[in-house]
Amino acid sequence: CKFFSLTETPENYTVVLDEDGFKELPPSQHLQVERSTWLPLNVVSSSNTSSSSQVVGVTKIAKSVIAPLAEQHVSVFMLSTYQTDFILVREKDLSVVVHTLAEEFNLYREVEGEFVPVRSQGLSDGLQRNGREVPHSTVHPVLIPKNQFCVMSLDPDTLPGVATTLIDALFYSNSPKEDGSPANDLECIKFFSFSLIDGYVSLVMDTEAQRQFPVDLLFTSSSGELWKMVRIGGQPLGFDECGIVAQISRPLADSDISAYYISTFSFDHALVSLSLCHM
């Protein structure tokens, strides 16, 4: 399994994994599976220049990837990690995705470890190339819990040393509430995300959970930045609605505000720098 992500929220656990990993899962009546096959897209910059002032996370690709896909009614599932951002799209939408992004990006598909160019397959012109009507955007309610979060990573070689702590943080510490819904926007909510993708580890947890881990094993940005969460959705969002990520990320991109974005089975979560929340 080269692509694995496990996120705990007050409602449930969301697992994102590749087909090899999925085949290893034992059948279970408790496992709810989204039936579509999804493909992860990853934007790699060809520029060698970098600046600490540049936005990071989903806002970095809001205007070039997220917004154009939303305009073509392509549903996306976002997974930001410490290292990069993954935009998951349904396999059935791939031709629309390629046609939409081909003008701005050189597109490649990984085949047995090699990167093979992907060409647009000549879809008919028009703003709505997948044959769907452009939907009206739904304004979803948001929840801003009071706990603060960290975006971190660790050396995968140290995973055995923190395995017990990791399992405890995910499954035993501060278990999700039975009713599955926070009472109000001031309440701390349980959110813990662990990703192991192509050998890179990414962790998102609140400062309370961080205290359980050895300080010398976790690493984050040099500033040790903390993040506030904006949780999107009053009712489970589902997977068919498009434009939710764009609706959140575009205003942030317009203001050069960095944000991480993690979609789950029920709700979406944007993480914004705590320092900006105080401005």
Side-chain angles (χ1 to χ4, degrees), residues 6-15 30 32 141-143 145 170-171 174-184 187-192 229-238 262-269:
L6 174 62
T7 302
E8 180 187 7
T9 65
E11 299 75 29
N12 48 38
Y13 293 92
T14 297
V15 183
H30 304 293
Q32 185 178 355
V142 299
L143 172 78
L170 269 167
F171 301 114
N174 301 321
S175 297
K177 296 181 177 156
E178 293 182 3
D179 62 3
S181 60
N184 55 63
E187 185 174 351
C188 294
I189 68 168
K190 176 65 175 178
F191 186 92
F192 192 105
M229 175 182 289
V230 178
R231 173 176 142 126
I232 301 100
Q235 299 294 327
L237 299 174
I262 298 178
S263 302
T264 64
F265 207 88
S266 299
F267 300 101
D268 283 7
H269 309 81

Side-chain angles (χ1 to χ4, degrees), residues 26 40-42 79 125 173 221 242 245 266:
L41 309 180
N42 181 225
L79 180 61
D125 291 334
S173 298
S221 63
C242 69
V245 182
S266 299

Side-chain angles (χ1 to χ4, degrees), residues 55 59-60 62-63 246-257:
V55 295
T59 47
K60 185 171 55 178
K63 297 178 181 179
Q247 192 178 77
I248 299 297
S249 61
R250 276 188 291 194
L252 297 175
D254 290 339
S255 301
D256 292 330
I257 297 175

